[in-house]
Amino acid sequence: MKSISLPDWLPSLRALSGTLGGEWERERRDTLFLMAAIGLAVLPSFAHLPLWCSAGFCVLFLWRLGLVFSGNPLPGGGIRLVTATACTVGVIAQYDTLFGRDSGVSLLVLFLGLKLMEMRARRDVYVVIFLCFFLLLTGFFQSQSLLVAGLTVLAITALIAALLTVQFGAREASVRRRLGYTAVLLLQALPLAAALFLLFPRLSTPLWGLPDDAHAGRTGMSDTMTPGQISKLARDETVAFRVQFDGDAPAPSQMYWRGPTLGDYDGQTWRPVRYELTRPTAPRIDLPATGNALHYLLTLEPHGRRWLFALDVPVEVPAGQGLSTSLSPEFDALSLNPLVARTRYRAAARTDAAIGLNETRLSLQNWIQLPPGHHRRTLELAARWRQEEPDNLRLVKRALSMFRDAGFRYTLNPPLLADDVVDRFLFETRAGFCEHFAGAFVVLMRALDIPARVVTGYQGAEVNPEGGYWIVRQADAHAWAEVWLADRGWVRIDPTSAVAPQRIEQGARSVEALRDDAGLLPAFADFALARQWRLSFDAMANSWNQWVLNYDRNRQRSFLSSLGLDAADPRELLGALGIVLGLVIGAIALSTLRPRRARDPVEASYEHFCERLAQLGTPRQRDETAVRFVRRVDRLLDGDDARQAREIVAVYNRLRYDPGSSTPDRVRQFQRLVKQFRPS
């Protein structure tokens, strides 16, 4: 074979061309194609791996890539053994075990990189490809989003194409041909996948259920509150839940999504109240004679806790298929079990409802207690105010006026508070986030002997006009206060609105509300086009969640019932699945049994050449030879086109009538000549 004057490794950069000769170059191209597929397969796992683990795989991957380019031999067994031991020790040091979801995936990724170092025979290639398939499955342990699904489809396509590459013999197939075969295989498998998706019995538990991993990596609202805790969520654009109202939606400033109610306070942290026996008085809810309830469907992302966020004030227990719920004495919506899967439920709310009008002094004891030895200056301020004003409502308004007029500032980066956090916040720093204002306000109210408590949840929402629903993100996390007044019951008071009303009116992403922290906002926050793209993608993700990920056991039963099948009978379900799979496989088999005549690539390219000349108004006659045809149309072509046409015909005649000249390289050369021919 004629040697190539370029450096030995440079032709390998044309890995996808499929045109360079030589067995070594063929193996090199196939290996590079496989490496690209492996990179796609590992990509979804990178976001959930420790940094050192991702870096370790990248080192192994680039090492193998360098060996492909240079042609140097693979490392010996001793080096691989030392590297494997180091990877295993690193995983044990990171997770203290080799068992479990996170440690298992980390070890799998590292060992996949190591397997690349001993990929010599076809059997090794099969092992690597099937390891990649298994790794793609583990990616759904962490996330089942539309983005992960799209990356998985791309990776599967590349892996199947790489698997087909191994099956080709001496004649190398182009990348286009490989991807064409892969597309046919995927289309044939699509009906089987749809049948299994619809009919295979659904699991009632999450995809991964080890106790140590069930709630790992969950972020969001907690059932405790300390200064700075909620402000960390203000930077998180992750979706907390989506809401679709049956009718008109309230204004975003009225959307207070109630979560945990906190009343137990130790001077630093707020926690839910723990009742020793039973609550003395069950709170009552009073609804005005006029007014309508707001009905909505809420899709809650998994957070690993029992809280079901509900629009304040919930007047019905949230209801969802397979969901056991209740309302606490504080009107918090709770699930019987932790929410480790996406959950949909219906609920109703009345923004004009009054709760707790029947509270007594005994039932309010939990909401007026303060830890001894704390907040000396706050207690002194409260004592002066109480002497000057006996009316509770006026004292509430006076406290709000203090927040509004005394130089308080709303910020995501408040100064650190040591010792007595409330006293330092009220009398020194006067800068904080919503939890600082809510916590300090409740302490001040209790110092005034006014029952008060902290409520955490989310405030506001962003409408998605493309999907007709509202999006509540972790950045919308909020804390406010409730005070009890004798003639009004529990009343929501949001001291943040007195300091930063833009936060309530315009939402957490308001530049005015966070003007001193504008650098924390996403760089694309003010661009309408980027926002439109983001909402469009969220609409697609929501459809993916509703129609694919939320197809659970209950929805499967409803679907099968509409077909007249009893999903509770496993024999009937498996019988229906067997019949459908048999019909689908039979249809696919019949389509593959149809006789097909192999098409000569030389004749196919020549016919394409004739079709381009026919566009000039001179189609080829049935009994016309190639030479006579090109002579007839020669007068219609300019100089360069005529020369190219004559060259194509000359090469065609050699390939047709000289058996020794019809080599794969010359056939590909002829195909390129025809493809480049563009008569004007």
Side-chain angles (χ1 to χ4, degrees):
M1 184 186 71
K2 184 179 180 179
S3 62
I4 301 175
S5 60
L6 295 175
D8 183 61
W9 57 268
L10 189 57
S12 301
L13 298 180
R14 298 170 60 187
L16 301 183
S17 65
T19 60
L20 298 178
E23 184 63 26
W24 170 243
E25 287 296 335
R26 162 73 186 277
E27 292 180 0
R28 184 178 294 182
R29 287 195 299 272
D30 291 347
T31 303
L32 288 176
F33 189 91
L34 176 60
M35 296 287 286
I38 294 170
L40 285 174
V42 179
L43 189 61
S45 300
F46 269 178
H48 310 287
L49 292 174
L51 181 60
W52 71 267
C53 184
S54 301
F57 175 83
C58 290
V59 169
L60 295 170
F61 186 86
L62 294 176
W63 186 2
R64 185 64 173 90
L65 203 61
L67 294 177
V68 174
F69 284 147
S70 65
N72 292 329
L74 298 178
I79 297 177
R80 296 199 303 271
L81 179 61
V82 171
T83 308
T85 303
C87 292
T88 305
V89 171
V91 172
I92 294 177
Q94 176 77 32
Y95 300 104
D96 295 327
T97 180
L98 292 177
F99 302 98
R101 180 190 63 189
D102 296 336
S103 58
V105 173
S106 299
L107 198 64
L108 177 61
V109 170
L110 291 172
F111 279 13
L112 174 61
L114 286 169
K115 186 62 181 176
L116 298 178
M117 297 301 170
E118 61 176 13
M119 192 170 58
R120 293 183 173 88
R122 179 177 295 187
R123 177 182 60 85
D124 298 321
V125 174
Y126 290 148
V127 172
V128 168
I129 292 177
F130 286 112
L131 279 177
C132 290
F133 281 128
F134 186 75
L135 183 62
L136 289 173
L137 174 63
T138 65
F140 290 109
F141 294 162
Q142 295 283 2
S143 174
Q144 300 175 34
S145 65
L146 181 61
L147 178 60
V148 172
L151 289 175
T152 302
V153 171
L154 288 177
I156 288 176
T157 303
L159 288 171
I160 294 177
L163 192 61
L164 290 175
T165 301
V166 184
Q167 308 301 318
F168 288 105
R171 185 171 182 178
E172 182 180 5
S174 65
V175 174
R176 182 178 180 180
R177 186 181 176 192
R178 299 178 219 175
L179 294 179
Y181 286 150
T182 302
V184 171
L185 290 174
L186 291 177
L187 289 175
Q188 290 176 345
L190 190 60
L192 296 174
L196 290 171
F197 174 78
L198 293 173
L199 299 177
F200 194 82
R202 313 301 291 183
L203 299 175
S204 59
T205 57
L207 184 62
W208 185 263
L210 287 184
D212 293 339
D213 295 326
H215 312 304
R218 301 296 186 189
T219 61
M221 189 63 61
S222 174
D223 58 355
T224 63
M225 187 187 79
T226 55
Q229 181 175 337
I230 296 180
S231 61
K232 295 178 182 178
L233 296 177
R235 301 168 175 85
D236 189 355
E237 290 293 312
T238 305
V239 173
F241 52 87
R242 298 176 176 89
V243 186
Q244 187 170 14
F245 288 91
D246 290 350
D248 294 335
S253 60
Q254 297 299 315
M255 293 184 184
Y256 281 82
W257 305 97
R258 191 182 191 96
T261 299
L262 313 177
D264 186 9
Y265 180 56
D266 60 5
Q268 181 74 23
T269 303
W270 292 88
R271 296 181 176 85
V273 169
R274 309 298 182 190
Y275 299 107
E276 295 182 359
L277 294 175
T278 58
R279 198 176 192 278
T281 304
R284 189 181 72 222
I285 183 168
D286 293 274
L287 303 176
T290 59
N292 298 316
L294 296 168
H295 296 270
Y296 57 91
L297 175 66
L298 192 148
T299 304
L300 179 63
E301 295 297 314
H303 54 70
R305 301 176 182 88
R306 297 177 55 211
W307 311 108
L308 292 169
F309 296 96
L311 188 64
D312 208 13
V313 175
V315 294
E316 295 178 2
V317 178
Q321 289 185 337
L323 186 65
S324 299
T325 61
S326 63
L327 287 177
S328 72
E330 293 79 31
F331 285 85
D332 301 339
L334 299 173
S335 170
L336 179 64
N337 301 309
L339 301 172
V340 296
R342 187 173 289 101
T343 305
R344 301 176 69 195
Y345 53 90
R346 286 198 164 273
R350 287 283 296 268
T351 57
D352 56 354
I355 58 175
L357 285 172
N358 61 327
E359 297 273 19
T360 64
R361 188 68 182 177
L362 180 61
S363 66
L364 294 171
Q365 284 299 312
N366 289 315
W367 314 114
I368 60 175
Q369 296 178 4
L370 288 174
H374 292 76
H375 319 316
R376 177 182 58 81
R377 286 188 286 180
T378 303
L379 292 172
E380 293 174 355
L381 176 65
R384 291 198 305 270
W385 284 12
R386 177 57 75 181
Q387 289 178 356
E388 298 168 1
E389 179 58 67
D391 185 73
N392 287 350
L393 179 58
R394 292 180 181 176
L395 288 172
V396 171
K397 294 180 179 179
R398 185 170 181 177
L400 292 175
S401 298
M402 180 186 71
F403 284 127
R404 182 172 53 251
D405 303 329
F408 284 85
R409 185 167 56 93
Y410 184 74
T411 175
L412 287 177
N413 295 316
L416 294 178
L417 300 175
D419 302 328
D420 199 317
V421 295
V422 173
D423 279 359
R424 287 179 59 83
F425 171 71
L426 289 178
F427 300 101
E428 297 179 21
T429 64
R430 298 190 176 185
F433 199 58
C434 61
E435 66 262 38
H436 297 85
F437 291 100
F441 182 85
V442 171
V443 168
L444 181 57
M445 291 297 103
R446 292 188 178 187
L448 290 165
D449 202 32
I450 300 176
R453 59 197 185 191
V454 174
V455 183
T456 57
Y458 299 89
Q459 193 282 321
E462 178 184 16
V463 65
N464 189 333
E466 295 195 18
Y469 61 91
W470 295 77
I471 307 171
V472 178
R473 305 181 186 276
Q474 297 295 347
D476 297 312
H478 194 54
W480 60 93
E482 282 185 342
V483 299
W484 188 85
L485 302 174
D487 55 343
R488 298 176 61 183
W490 287 104
V491 179
R492 180 176 66 238
I493 304 294
D494 192 348
T496 302
S497 64
V499 182
Q502 302 92 337
R503 162 62 182 88
I504 308 303
E505 297 294 333
Q506 302 178 21
R509 285 160 295 280
S510 167
V511 176
E512 292 80 11
L514 301 175
R515 57 184 178 274
D516 59 333
D517 300 293
L520 297 173
L521 293 173
F524 54 80
D526 295 330
F527 294 97
L529 182 59
R531 179 178 181 273
Q532 182 64 33
W533 287 348
R534 181 166 59 95
L535 293 178
S536 298
F537 182 79
D538 189 86
M540 291 188 293
N542 183 59
S543 299
W544 169 262
N545 294 339
Q546 301 294 341
W547 294 103
V548 178
L549 299 185
N550 283 345
Y551 185 73
D552 54 11
R553 175 181 293 185
N554 295 311
R555 294 188 66 180
Q556 185 186 53
R557 288 180 177 178
S558 300
F559 170 73
L560 295 177
S561 298
S562 64
L563 299 178
L565 299 175
D566 183 9
D569 187 352
R571 293 176 299 178
E572 188 171 347
L573 183 59
L574 293 176
L577 180 61
I579 293 174
V580 172
L581 291 179
L583 292 175
V584 171
I585 294 175
I588 295 175
L590 289 176
S591 67
T592 60
L593 293 177
R594 185 182 61 180
R596 297 178 182 177
R597 186 179 62 182
R599 194 178 185 188
D600 188 343
V602 175
E603 289 296 334
S605 295
Y606 179 68
E607 290 179 6
H608 190 51
F609 165 74
C610 294
E611 289 173 0
R612 290 187 175 177
L613 288 177
Q615 295 175 358
L616 302 178
T618 55
R620 182 173 66 93
Q621 304 299 323
R622 292 175 58 89
D623 57 348
E624 194 170 26
T625 65
V627 175
R628 291 179 59 186
F629 176 52
V630 75
R631 287 176 181 173
R632 183 166 59 87
V633 300
D634 187 80
R635 58 184 176 80
L636 300 176
L637 302 174
D638 58 22
D640 290 338
D641 291 340
R643 179 184 55 78
Q644 291 183 22
R646 288 193 294 270
E647 182 181 2
I648 290 174
V649 169
V651 175
Y652 169 73
N653 285 331
R654 283 198 301 270
L655 293 175
R656 289 294 82 192
Y657 305 112
D658 183 4
S661 65
S662 184
T663 63
D665 288 342
R666 291 180 178 177
V667 171
R668 284 193 290 266
Q669 180 187 8
F670 176 68
Q671 292 173 332
R672 284 198 304 273
L673 288 174
V674 173
K675 186 178 297 184
Q676 295 169 0
F677 182 63
R678 293 285 190 275
S680 57

